[in-house]
Amino acid sequence: DPDSGDNGLLLYSLVRGQTDEFDIDENTGQIFTVSVAGKTGTFNLEVQAADQGTRRLTAWTTVIVTVDSSSSSNIVMLVLNQKINVVERNSAEVQRVLEDTLGWNVYVVDIYSEEIERRARSSTGETQVKIIVFDEAHQEVPAEDVKRKLREQKGGIEVELEKVFSASVSAAVGEAPAAPASPERAATIVLGVLLAITFIAFLAYVLLDLRRKRYRGKHGKQGLVKKVEIMEGIDNPWAVDKNGSLKSLEKPEYMNN
């Protein structure tokens, strides 16, 4: 406001919208979040600017805030038989058609093609559109519910998209890639694998040590017996006979003569 004094002093306020989730700095007009935990989607905020003159003048504008949730498990993929550059150019109209047909709020997460066409973005005739759908409470609609309704409204969606692309359109529900594991879950998996490897290594060590002890016990006894038998020709009080029992090594009588 180019006026001076109170007539040029502007104060900002949210006059309509999700004021529980957002707030505004009345002096700068900066909008910030209060609490959007667990909520995703598009929020429409009506902002008022008012000067402080005797005859207060006001103006309004709508601010659209999108809370992203690209890692959501409720992402749904819609496959269109159109070139990626054409879909990107008409993404707003694609979103409008889906919202009008489904009766829910739709947020387009990404538009891409699986083929390597970044050097020639018009080379492919199939494009994947990843979307998340929200109800009136800004809660994510389960992916299975979205897929079911997309299949039910397939004919109507294709008719409306043909008006957008001025060409025959095929819209099919695809399978979106699974959401990546969270860092905490990944750490848990890694720790579990390390513990399993450690346990297996310990078990292998115990079994190997047990076999070693058995081997030593068996062959050690045999070695002792063989050693004693070899020493039978010497004056050995602990010599054993062939049956393994102790025997006396006293000299025969004929040797005493």
Side-chain angles (χ1 to χ4, degrees), residues 152-171:
E152 293 173 353
Q153 302 297 327
K154 184 177 186 298
I157 293 173
E158 291 177 343
V159 169
E160 293 301 317
L161 288 179
E162 286 177 1
K163 299 176 183 178
V164 174
F165 296 113
S166 299
S168 178
V169 176
S170 172

Side-chain angles (χ1 to χ4, degrees), residues 36-180:
V36 292
K39 295 187 177 181
T40 53
T42 301
F43 299 80
N44 296 319
L45 309 178
E46 190 169 340
V47 179
Q48 174 182 279
D51 66 20
Q52 304 304 300
T54 303
R55 299 180 61 183
R56 179 176 297 185
L57 300 178
T58 59
W60 297 267
T61 189
T62 300
V63 177
I64 301 175
V65 180
T66 300
V67 180
D68 192 358
S69 180
S70 57
S71 62
S72 169
S73 61
N74 290 316
I75 293 178
V76 175
M77 182 190 297
L78 186 65
V79 182
L80 304 178
N81 65 334
Q82 300 294 314
K83 296 178 180 180
I84 186 171
N85 61 326
V86 177
V87 176
E88 288 177 331
R89 189 167 59 246
N90 295 278
S91 60
E93 287 299 304
V94 172
Q95 178 177 325
R96 179 192 60 78
V97 168
L98 294 176
E99 289 183 334
D100 292 346
T101 307
L102 300 177
W104 288 319
N105 296 318
V106 175
Y107 171 56
V108 177
V109 177
D110 192 18
I111 299 174
Y112 69 101
S113 174
E114 293 182 352
E115 295 184 18
I116 303 176
E117 82 297 337
R118 294 304 176 184
R119 290 170 296 180
R121 297 181 64 80
S122 61
S123 64
T124 182
E126 185 173 276
T127 301
Q128 290 78 32
V129 181
K130 292 168 60 177
I131 63 173
I132 301 178
V133 178
F134 310 94
D135 57 22
E136 295 180 354
H138 298 284
Q139 300 298 317
E140 294 183 12
V141 179
E144 292 306 316
D145 293 345
V146 177
K147 291 178 182 179
R148 182 176 62 254
K149 200 162 187 179
L150 283 172
R151 294 186 180 102
E152 293 173 353
Q153 302 297 327
K154 184 177 186 298
I157 293 173
E158 291 177 343
V159 169
E160 293 301 317
L161 288 179
E162 286 177 1
K163 299 176 183 178
V164 174
F165 296 113
S166 299
S168 178
V169 176
S170 172
V173 177
E175 292 299 328

